[in-house]
Amino acid sequence: PPEQLALSRKGLTGGQEMEAEVVRPTKVTGMGALRKCSAAERAELTEVVIEERECELPDAAAVAQLGAALRDCRRLHTLQIVDRFWGMLGHPVTAEWTRALAEHVLPHIRGTLTTLALRSMRMREAAAAELAPALEQCRALEQLDLRESLFGEGGALLGALRGTPNLKVLRLCWTGIGDAGAAALAPAVRRCDDLEELHLIGNDIGESGARALEGALHDTHACMRVLDLSCNELGDAGVAALAPAVQRCTALEQLRLSGNKIGYGGAMQLAYALHNDEHRCLRVLDLSNNKHHFGDMGADALAQALEDCPALEELRLGDNMIGEVGARALAAVLPGIHRLRVLALRSNMIGDLGVRELAPALEQCHALEELQLSSNVVFGARRLAGALRGMARLRVLDLYDNHLHAEGIAALAPALEDCPALEELRLGDNMIGEVGARALAAVLPGIHRLRVLALRSNMIGDLGVRELAPALEQCHALEELQLSSNVVGEVGAQTLAGALQGMARLRVLDLYDNHLHAEGIAALAPALERCPTLEELHLGRNNIGGDGARALAGALQGTPRLRELHLCDNGLGDAGVAALAPALRWCPALERLNLSVNKIGNGGARALAGALRGTPRLRELDLFENAIGDSGVEELAQGLGRCPALENVNFCSNRVDEGGARALAGALRGTPRLRKLHISGPKRGGVAARTPRWLADTVQYCPALEGLDLETWVSWAVSGQRKGEVEPIL
């Protein structure tokens, strides 16, 4: 970036010409920036990042060019090659690609390289084997990140890690190594005396893999700080096998075992491992998403060990079917965990009785900053309200999807005034109605730091908005307001418009699925025009029609930062899109545009095509279930060709035939980042034998493509008489 460069300047001092010190960049991002660096600048580089591998390093020849550029980088210690477009249907790196990396890149930098990240490469076992010999020579390597590759057991690559004894951080998440891969990895882990972090998320590791890792961790227990085995298949037996290693890792700060089907037996083994006087460093314990396997018995078993973790700051036990009994067990030990900042108990079955057990303990958790109790069948909030009075540091309160109703909010609201640090309040799907809105409005002005207020699906209505509006006007720090699915109509929109004038920092406004109609949008428009910080606007399912689109178009002139505009299912029609389209030029930052289910025809598509030329950052365009035909798609194709950042296009359930599909395919050649294409063929009638040929062109020129939804095109073609002609193309 230009701000990192200080150009050399010359001056005269004592009659002699002096040259100021040149400050050169130490980090570059992208092949383009790397090519622009002079040899002297490359010699000073310490970090090179390639964020879009599919586009910038598509083949072995491009990798060889990277190697030539890095030859002068004598101080380079970090190389990151990342593919943003992760997906199972994407293009994996080939063996030739990794061979080029091993032969032309790594030999030049292996002496100084300490951090190597090859993320989302979809690297298969053969490609990984080509990388192994060069990796074994990188003896200075301290951090290795191979997340989201698919090399499976990968014996050659995992074995090569034995040549990196200085490794401190190893990330092999979502690589599919399984038990066999864990066994192959174990010798390398055993040789890494300084290993501090081991991340093996989503690898189908079971009992035998856990046993192999336990043996390897025996020699690295002195330094291990982070052990993350989330989303595996450990079960109780795997945790039992791993427990001795956990017991020996007395420096452990983070232990993450979520999504492992851990039950009572595993919880008992883990509790025994943590029940150690030397286990004083543990800060994060995550056992969430173990579902019915865990339950009350698991919580009861675990609670016994939590007393021996005085440094614990985060305890995550969400989605574990914990009820009243488990809540009672946790309540008995929580007062002794003086540093606890995050308590996540979402999606359990705690209920009112469980809250009654927890409340006295929570009142003594003075360091608590985040409390998650969403989806817990909580009806009353009086006990919880008492506990909140002692949480002066609370920043996040999540009670989404309970049964608080107006009575619960009335009990809770006064306690919120005693939470001066509160920044996020999530009370959606609680049916609080007008009365609950009135109770909440009484305390909102006193919560000066409130940034997020989520009240969706609460039946607030126009009367409730009228109660809330004066309070919202005083929430000057508010950045996100969610009022979707609240039966808000024209009157509520008029009231809300006045409140928006006081929200100078508002970034997200969600009014999806209400009853605004055109009149409500007309009432909101002047206020929206004075929201220059607005980034997301959700107005779908409000039946605003063409008149509402016309009113909204005027408001968009005042929202230059708008990134997302959602207007699905609004009956815009061609007239509405024609009115809205010219205003999109005032939104140069627009990334997502949702116009699905709006009865848009060829006329609206033509108007939209012209507007797309002013949205260079557009990433997603959703035109699902409209009435756009071939001529409209042909017009749109010209506009889409000028959107180089496009990633997702949805034309399903329109009237697109072969001509429109071919035009679209031709336009998409200029969108190298395209990840997903949804397009449907004719609902009835024949399909020409050459119809799918546009598909072959699209795939060829869109290397980042992950998902292709052809709906009726393929179903008609493959099931028809021309199956033999179509299959070779597919």
Side-chain angles (χ1 to χ4, degrees), residues 58-96:
D59 51 32
V63 176
Q65 293 176 10
L66 173 65
L70 295 181
R71 191 167 297 171
D72 299 323
C73 300
R74 295 186 293 271
R75 299 185 180 182
L76 192 71
H77 59 65
T78 300
L79 175 61
Q80 296 186 43
I81 303 177
V82 184
D83 198 339
R84 291 179 56 219
F85 310 114
W86 161 243
M88 295 300 293
L89 298 179
H91 296 257
V93 295
T94 62
E96 291 77 12

mmCIF file of all heavy atoms in Angstrom, residues 58-96:
data_model
loop_
_atom_site.group_PDB
_atom_site.id
_atom_site.type_symbol
_atom_site.label_atom_id
_atom_site.label_comp_id
_atom_site.label_asym_id
_atom_site.label_seq_id
_atom_site.Cartn_x
_atom_site.Cartn_y
_atom_site.Cartn_z
ATOM 1 N N PRO A 58 -2.814 -20.414 -11.012
ATOM 2 C CA PRO A 58 -3.685 -21.496 -11.477
ATOM 3 C C PRO A 58 -2.949 -22.768 -11.877
ATOM 4 O O PRO A 58 -3.536 -23.849 -11.867
ATOM 5 C CB PRO A 58 -4.397 -20.882 -12.679
ATOM 6 C CG PRO A 58 -3.439 -19.848 -13.194
ATOM 7 C CD PRO A 58 -2.753 -19.298 -11.983
ATOM 8 N N ASP A 59 -1.674 -22.675 -12.247
ATOM 9 C CA ASP A 59 -0.970 -23.856 -12.754
ATOM 10 C C ASP A 59 0.494 -23.828 -12.337
ATOM 11 O O ASP A 59 0.974 -22.900 -11.681
ATOM 12 C CB ASP A 59 -1.097 -23.933 -14.278
ATOM 13 C CG ASP A 59 -0.700 -22.624 -14.956
ATOM 14 O OD1 ASP A 59 0.187 -21.938 -14.419
ATOM 15 O OD2 ASP A 59 -1.285 -22.297 -16.000
ATOM 16 N N ALA A 60 1.213 -24.872 -12.748
ATOM 17 C CA ALA A 60 2.609 -25.015 -12.366
ATOM 18 C C ALA A 60 3.477 -23.893 -12.927
ATOM 19 O O ALA A 60 4.441 -23.457 -12.287
ATOM 20 C CB ALA A 60 3.135 -26.373 -12.828
ATOM 21 N N ALA A 61 3.152 -23.419 -14.125
ATOM 22 C CA ALA A 61 3.945 -22.339 -14.726
ATOM 23 C C ALA A 61 3.863 -21.072 -13.880
ATOM 24 O O ALA A 61 4.870 -20.380 -13.670
ATOM 25 C CB ALA A 61 3.454 -22.070 -16.154
ATOM 26 N N ALA A 62 2.670 -20.761 -13.370
ATOM 27 C CA ALA A 62 2.513 -19.582 -12.517
ATOM 28 C C ALA A 62 3.279 -19.753 -11.211
ATOM 29 O O ALA A 62 3.858 -18.797 -10.679
ATOM 30 C CB ALA A 62 1.033 -19.334 -12.248
ATOM 31 N N VAL A 63 3.307 -20.972 -10.689
ATOM 32 C CA VAL A 63 4.067 -21.236 -9.461
ATOM 33 C C VAL A 63 5.558 -21.030 -9.707
ATOM 34 O O VAL A 63 6.280 -20.487 -8.862
ATOM 35 C CB VAL A 63 3.784 -22.659 -8.950
ATOM 36 C CG1 VAL A 63 4.652 -22.975 -7.732
ATOM 37 C CG2 VAL A 63 2.314 -22.811 -8.583
ATOM 38 N N ALA A 64 6.022 -21.452 -10.875
ATOM 39 C CA ALA A 64 7.428 -21.241 -11.218
ATOM 40 C C ALA A 64 7.757 -19.750 -11.283
ATOM 41 O O ALA A 64 8.841 -19.317 -10.866
ATOM 42 C CB ALA A 64 7.743 -21.918 -12.550
ATOM 43 N N GLN A 65 6.843 -18.943 -11.794
ATOM 44 C CA GLN A 65 7.041 -17.490 -11.822
ATOM 45 C C GLN A 65 7.127 -16.930 -10.399
ATOM 46 O O GLN A 65 7.921 -16.026 -10.124
ATOM 47 C CB GLN A 65 5.909 -16.821 -12.590
ATOM 48 C CG GLN A 65 5.888 -17.150 -14.072
ATOM 49 C CD GLN A 65 4.692 -16.528 -14.779
ATOM 50 O OE1 GLN A 65 3.977 -15.713 -14.210
ATOM 51 N NE2 GLN A 65 4.468 -16.928 -16.024
ATOM 52 N N LEU A 66 6.307 -17.480 -9.493
ATOM 53 C CA LEU A 66 6.394 -17.062 -8.094
ATOM 54 C C LEU A 66 7.767 -17.373 -7.533
ATOM 55 O O LEU A 66 8.377 -16.552 -6.832
ATOM 56 C CB LEU A 66 5.305 -17.765 -7.270
ATOM 57 C CG LEU A 66 5.368 -17.552 -5.754
ATOM 58 C CD1 LEU A 66 5.130 -16.092 -5.397
ATOM 59 C CD2 LEU A 66 4.347 -18.439 -5.045
ATOM 60 N N GLY A 67 8.288 -18.563 -7.848
ATOM 61 C CA GLY A 67 9.611 -18.927 -7.369
ATOM 62 C C GLY A 67 10.690 -17.986 -7.862
ATOM 63 O O GLY A 67 11.590 -17.601 -7.105
ATOM 64 N N ALA A 68 10.580 -17.576 -9.132
ATOM 65 C CA ALA A 68 11.556 -16.636 -9.677
ATOM 66 C C ALA A 68 11.485 -15.294 -8.964
ATOM 67 O O ALA A 68 12.507 -14.642 -8.712
ATOM 68 C CB ALA A 68 11.314 -16.463 -11.179
ATOM 69 N N ALA A 69 10.277 -14.871 -8.612
ATOM 70 C CA ALA A 69 10.113 -13.589 -7.924
ATOM 71 C C ALA A 69 10.634 -13.647 -6.496
ATOM 72 O O ALA A 69 11.091 -12.637 -5.950
ATOM 73 C CB ALA A 69 8.640 -13.182 -7.929
ATOM 74 N N LEU A 70 10.590 -14.829 -5.871
ATOM 75 C CA LEU A 70 11.019 -14.955 -4.478
ATOM 76 C C LEU A 70 12.514 -15.217 -4.338
ATOM 77 O O LEU A 70 13.033 -15.283 -3.221
ATOM 78 C CB LEU A 70 10.243 -16.084 -3.786
ATOM 79 C CG LEU A 70 8.730 -15.892 -3.631
ATOM 80 C CD1 LEU A 70 8.116 -17.078 -2.910
ATOM 81 C CD2 LEU A 70 8.410 -14.599 -2.895
ATOM 82 N N ARG A 71 13.200 -15.365 -5.441
ATOM 83 C CA ARG A 71 14.616 -15.698 -5.388
ATOM 84 C C ARG A 71 15.427 -14.618 -4.676
ATOM 85 O O ARG A 71 16.441 -14.892 -4.046
ATOM 86 C CB ARG A 71 15.131 -15.917 -6.814
ATOM 87 C CG ARG A 71 16.511 -16.517 -6.900
ATOM 88 C CD ARG A 71 16.791 -16.971 -8.317
ATOM 89 N NE ARG A 71 15.867 -18.013 -8.721
ATOM 90 C CZ ARG A 71 15.769 -18.479 -9.972
ATOM 91 N NH1 ARG A 71 16.519 -17.961 -10.920
ATOM 92 N NH2 ARG A 71 14.913 -19.437 -10.261
ATOM 93 N N ASP A 72 14.964 -13.373 -4.784
ATOM 94 C CA ASP A 72 15.681 -12.263 -4.151
ATOM 95 C C ASP A 72 15.244 -11.996 -2.710
ATOM 96 O O ASP A 72 15.771 -11.084 -2.068
ATOM 97 C CB ASP A 72 15.477 -10.979 -4.973
ATOM 98 C CG ASP A 72 16.018 -11.116 -6.385
ATOM 99 O OD1 ASP A 72 17.066 -11.763 -6.546
ATOM 100 O OD2 ASP A 72 15.388 -10.581 -7.314
ATOM 101 N N CYS A 73 14.268 -12.751 -2.216
ATOM 102 C CA CYS A 73 13.700 -12.485 -0.884
ATOM 103 C C CYS A 73 14.555 -13.176 0.180
ATOM 104 O O CYS A 73 14.234 -14.287 0.631
ATOM 105 C CB CYS A 73 12.251 -12.948 -0.823
ATOM 106 S SG CYS A 73 11.169 -12.130 -2.022
ATOM 107 N N ARG A 74 15.602 -12.515 0.596
ATOM 108 C CA ARG A 74 16.543 -13.138 1.515
ATOM 109 C C ARG A 74 16.061 -13.123 2.970
ATOM 110 O O ARG A 74 16.629 -13.795 3.814
ATOM 111 C CB ARG A 74 17.895 -12.429 1.419
ATOM 112 C CG ARG A 74 18.562 -12.587 0.061
ATOM 113 C CD ARG A 74 19.962 -11.995 0.065
ATOM 114 N NE ARG A 74 19.944 -10.546 0.224
ATOM 115 C CZ ARG A 74 19.865 -9.686 -0.793
ATOM 116 N NH1 ARG A 74 19.773 -10.147 -2.035
ATOM 117 N NH2 ARG A 74 19.880 -8.389 -0.588
ATOM 118 N N ARG A 75 15.030 -12.302 3.258
ATOM 119 C CA ARG A 75 14.543 -12.209 4.632
ATOM 120 C C ARG A 75 13.136 -12.784 4.811
ATOM 121 O O ARG A 75 12.553 -12.654 5.881
ATOM 122 C CB ARG A 75 14.537 -10.743 5.078
ATOM 123 C CG ARG A 75 15.905 -10.091 5.079
ATOM 124 C CD ARG A 75 15.819 -8.686 5.651
ATOM 125 N NE ARG A 75 17.116 -8.025 5.664
ATOM 126 C CZ ARG A 75 17.323 -6.814 6.149
ATOM 127 N NH1 ARG A 75 16.298 -6.130 6.664
ATOM 128 N NH2 ARG A 75 18.526 -6.273 6.127
ATOM 129 N N LEU A 76 12.611 -13.388 3.787
ATOM 130 C CA LEU A 76 11.213 -13.852 3.830
ATOM 131 C C LEU A 76 11.023 -14.920 4.909
ATOM 132 O O LEU A 76 11.713 -15.939 4.910
ATOM 133 C CB LEU A 76 10.811 -14.421 2.464
ATOM 134 C CG LEU A 76 9.313 -14.677 2.281
ATOM 135 C CD1 LEU A 76 8.567 -13.362 2.172
ATOM 136 C CD2 LEU A 76 9.055 -15.527 1.050
ATOM 137 N N HIS A 77 10.105 -14.672 5.820
ATOM 138 C CA HIS A 77 9.813 -15.670 6.849
ATOM 139 C C HIS A 77 8.375 -16.175 6.796
ATOM 140 O O HIS A 77 8.035 -17.148 7.470
ATOM 141 C CB HIS A 77 10.122 -15.129 8.250
ATOM 142 C CG HIS A 77 9.353 -13.894 8.633
ATOM 143 N ND1 HIS A 77 7.996 -13.872 8.783
ATOM 144 C CD2 HIS A 77 9.778 -12.637 8.902
ATOM 145 C CE1 HIS A 77 7.596 -12.670 9.132
ATOM 146 N NE2 HIS A 77 8.659 -11.883 9.198
ATOM 147 N N THR A 78 7.500 -15.528 6.005
ATOM 148 C CA THR A 78 6.097 -15.952 5.948
ATOM 149 C C THR A 78 5.625 -16.021 4.505
ATOM 150 O O THR A 78 5.738 -15.041 3.762
ATOM 151 C CB THR A 78 5.187 -14.977 6.728
ATOM 152 O OG1 THR A 78 5.590 -14.946 8.091
ATOM 153 C CG2 THR A 78 3.728 -15.418 6.649
ATOM 154 N N LEU A 79 5.079 -17.170 4.119
ATOM 155 C CA LEU A 79 4.469 -17.347 2.795
ATOM 156 C C LEU A 79 3.081 -17.933 2.991
ATOM 157 O O LEU A 79 2.932 -19.027 3.547
ATOM 158 C CB LEU A 79 5.316 -18.269 1.918
ATOM 159 C CG LEU A 79 4.710 -18.626 0.546
ATOM 160 C CD1 LEU A 79 4.508 -17.369 -0.298
ATOM 161 C CD2 LEU A 79 5.568 -19.638 -0.193
ATOM 162 N N GLN A 80 2.066 -17.189 2.551
ATOM 163 C CA GLN A 80 0.679 -17.656 2.651
ATOM 164 C C GLN A 80 0.077 -17.718 1.253
ATOM 165 O O GLN A 80 0.058 -16.719 0.537
ATOM 166 C CB GLN A 80 -0.168 -16.709 3.501
ATOM 167 C CG GLN A 80 0.259 -16.619 4.950
ATOM 168 C CD GLN A 80 -0.696 -15.778 5.762
ATOM 169 O OE1 GLN A 80 -1.924 -15.892 5.625
ATOM 170 N NE2 GLN A 80 -0.163 -14.926 6.613
ATOM 171 N N ILE A 81 -0.404 -18.892 0.882
ATOM 172 C CA ILE A 81 -1.128 -19.071 -0.373
ATOM 173 C C ILE A 81 -2.506 -19.606 0.009
ATOM 174 O O ILE A 81 -2.634 -20.730 0.498
ATOM 175 C CB ILE A 81 -0.409 -20.033 -1.327
ATOM 176 C CG1 ILE A 81 1.008 -19.532 -1.607
ATOM 177 C CG2 ILE A 81 -1.175 -20.162 -2.638
ATOM 178 C CD1 ILE A 81 1.825 -20.451 -2.488
ATOM 179 N N VAL A 82 -3.498 -18.789 -0.201
ATOM 180 C CA VAL A 82 -4.851 -19.102 0.280
ATOM 181 C C VAL A 82 -5.817 -19.090 -0.895
ATOM 182 O O VAL A 82 -5.714 -18.243 -1.782
ATOM 183 C CB VAL A 82 -5.314 -18.071 1.335
ATOM 184 C CG1 VAL A 82 -6.670 -18.457 1.903
ATOM 185 C CG2 VAL A 82 -4.277 -17.944 2.437
ATOM 186 N N ASP A 83 -6.721 -20.044 -0.899
ATOM 187 C CA ASP A 83 -7.778 -20.047 -1.905
ATOM 188 C C ASP A 83 -9.074 -19.677 -1.206
ATOM 189 O O ASP A 83 -9.575 -20.425 -0.379
ATOM 190 C CB ASP A 83 -7.908 -21.424 -2.558
ATOM 191 C CG ASP A 83 -8.649 -21.360 -3.874
ATOM 192 O OD1 ASP A 83 -9.382 -20.376 -4.071
ATOM 193 O OD2 ASP A 83 -8.493 -22.261 -4.699
ATOM 194 N N ARG A 84 -9.603 -18.504 -1.521
ATOM 195 C CA ARG A 84 -10.846 -18.049 -0.874
ATOM 196 C C ARG A 84 -12.013 -18.946 -1.220
ATOM 197 O O ARG A 84 -12.994 -19.038 -0.508
ATOM 198 C CB ARG A 84 -11.179 -16.625 -1.323
ATOM 199 C CG ARG A 84 -10.236 -15.574 -0.809
ATOM 200 C CD ARG A 84 -10.638 -14.216 -1.341
ATOM 201 N NE ARG A 84 -12.009 -13.908 -0.993
ATOM 202 C CZ ARG A 84 -12.860 -13.297 -1.812
ATOM 203 N NH1 ARG A 84 -12.491 -12.950 -3.012
ATOM 204 N NH2 ARG A 84 -14.089 -13.042 -1.430
ATOM 205 N N PHE A 85 -11.945 -19.620 -2.346
ATOM 206 C CA PHE A 85 -13.116 -20.330 -2.860
ATOM 207 C C PHE A 85 -13.048 -21.797 -2.465
ATOM 208 O O PHE A 85 -12.787 -22.671 -3.281
ATOM 209 C CB PHE A 85 -13.188 -20.182 -4.378
ATOM 210 C CG PHE A 85 -13.054 -18.772 -4.813
ATOM 211 C CD1 PHE A 85 -11.968 -18.347 -5.543
ATOM 212 C CD2 PHE A 85 -14.012 -17.844 -4.463
ATOM 213 C CE1 PHE A 85 -11.847 -17.028 -5.932
ATOM 214 C CE2 PHE A 85 -13.892 -16.531 -4.844
ATOM 215 C CZ PHE A 85 -12.817 -16.122 -5.580
ATOM 216 N N TRP A 86 -13.251 -22.044 -1.200
ATOM 217 C CA TRP A 86 -13.228 -23.417 -0.696
ATOM 218 C C TRP A 86 -14.542 -24.098 -1.032
ATOM 219 O O TRP A 86 -15.625 -23.609 -0.805
ATOM 220 C CB TRP A 86 -13.008 -23.421 0.804
ATOM 221 C CG TRP A 86 -13.412 -24.687 1.496
ATOM 222 C CD1 TRP A 86 -14.378 -24.832 2.432
ATOM 223 C CD2 TRP A 86 -12.862 -25.980 1.292
ATOM 224 N NE1 TRP A 86 -14.462 -26.117 2.840
ATOM 225 C CE2 TRP A 86 -13.550 -26.856 2.145
ATOM 226 C CE3 TRP A 86 -11.880 -26.488 0.453
ATOM 227 C CZ2 TRP A 86 -13.268 -28.208 2.211
ATOM 228 C CZ3 TRP A 86 -11.601 -27.842 0.516
ATOM 229 C CH2 TRP A 86 -12.285 -28.683 1.386
ATOM 230 N N GLY A 87 -14.459 -25.317 -1.574
ATOM 231 C CA GLY A 87 -15.666 -26.079 -1.864
ATOM 232 C C GLY A 87 -15.305 -27.436 -2.415
ATOM 233 O O GLY A 87 -14.309 -27.618 -3.106
ATOM 234 N N MET A 88 -16.133 -28.416 -2.140
ATOM 235 C CA MET A 88 -15.838 -29.774 -2.556
ATOM 236 C C MET A 88 -15.837 -29.920 -4.075
ATOM 237 O O MET A 88 -15.223 -30.825 -4.628
ATOM 238 C CB MET A 88 -16.868 -30.729 -1.939
ATOM 239 C CG MET A 88 -16.793 -30.796 -0.430
ATOM 240 S SD MET A 88 -15.201 -31.366 0.187
ATOM 241 C CE MET A 88 -15.231 -33.052 -0.377
ATOM 242 N N LEU A 89 -16.546 -29.037 -4.784
ATOM 243 C CA LEU A 89 -16.608 -29.140 -6.231
ATOM 244 C C LEU A 89 -15.612 -28.220 -6.913
ATOM 245 O O LEU A 89 -15.662 -28.025 -8.109
ATOM 246 C CB LEU A 89 -18.033 -28.816 -6.712
ATOM 247 C CG LEU A 89 -19.112 -29.757 -6.202
ATOM 248 C CD1 LEU A 89 -20.475 -29.316 -6.711
ATOM 249 C CD2 LEU A 89 -18.844 -31.186 -6.635
ATOM 250 N N GLY A 90 -14.724 -27.605 -6.147
ATOM 251 C CA GLY A 90 -13.740 -26.705 -6.730
ATOM 252 C C GLY A 90 -12.612 -27.474 -7.393
ATOM 253 O O GLY A 90 -12.615 -28.695 -7.511
ATOM 254 N N HIS A 91 -11.589 -26.769 -7.819
ATOM 255 C CA HIS A 91 -10.471 -27.365 -8.530
ATOM 256 C C HIS A 91 -9.339 -27.626 -7.547
ATOM 257 O O HIS A 91 -8.701 -26.690 -7.064
ATOM 258 C CB HIS A 91 -9.991 -26.428 -9.639
ATOM 259 C CG HIS A 91 -11.020 -26.204 -10.700
ATOM 260 N ND1 HIS A 91 -10.968 -26.825 -11.920
ATOM 261 C CD2 HIS A 91 -12.137 -25.449 -10.713
ATOM 262 C CE1 HIS A 91 -12.010 -26.449 -12.655
ATOM 263 N NE2 HIS A 91 -12.725 -25.612 -11.933
ATOM 264 N N PRO A 92 -9.027 -28.874 -7.229
ATOM 265 C CA PRO A 92 -7.905 -29.140 -6.323
ATOM 266 C C PRO A 92 -6.581 -28.863 -7.014
ATOM 267 O O PRO A 92 -6.469 -28.927 -8.237
ATOM 268 C CB PRO A 92 -8.070 -30.632 -6.015
ATOM 269 C CG PRO A 92 -8.780 -31.189 -7.200
ATOM 270 C CD PRO A 92 -9.696 -30.101 -7.685
ATOM 271 N N VAL A 93 -5.558 -28.562 -6.218
ATOM 272 C CA VAL A 93 -4.235 -28.402 -6.809
ATOM 273 C C VAL A 93 -3.753 -29.763 -7.295
ATOM 274 O O VAL A 93 -4.044 -30.803 -6.700
ATOM 275 C CB VAL A 93 -3.237 -27.812 -5.793
ATOM 276 C CG1 VAL A 93 -3.627 -26.411 -5.419
ATOM 277 C CG2 VAL A 93 -3.124 -28.684 -4.558
ATOM 278 N N THR A 94 -3.019 -29.758 -8.378
ATOM 279 C CA THR A 94 -2.544 -30.995 -8.979
ATOM 280 C C THR A 94 -1.171 -31.361 -8.420
ATOM 281 O O THR A 94 -0.504 -30.559 -7.760
ATOM 282 C CB THR A 94 -2.445 -30.837 -10.496
ATOM 283 O OG1 THR A 94 -1.488 -29.799 -10.789
ATOM 284 C CG2 THR A 94 -3.792 -30.450 -11.090
ATOM 285 N N ALA A 95 -0.754 -32.571 -8.727
ATOM 286 C CA ALA A 95 0.587 -32.990 -8.329
ATOM 287 C C ALA A 95 1.643 -32.125 -9.001
ATOM 288 O O ALA A 95 2.690 -31.830 -8.416
ATOM 289 C CB ALA A 95 0.790 -34.467 -8.677
ATOM 290 N N GLU A 96 1.381 -31.698 -10.240
ATOM 291 C CA GLU A 96 2.318 -30.814 -10.942
ATOM 292 C C GLU A 96 2.444 -29.471 -10.224
ATOM 293 O O GLU A 96 3.525 -28.890 -10.148
ATOM 294 C CB GLU A 96 1.869 -30.603 -12.394
ATOM 295 C CG GLU A 96 1.995 -31.828 -13.275
ATOM 296 C CD GLU A 96 0.883 -32.838 -13.030
ATOM 297 O OE1 GLU A 96 -0.108 -32.481 -12.335
ATOM 298 O OE2 GLU A 96 1.005 -33.983 -13.506
#
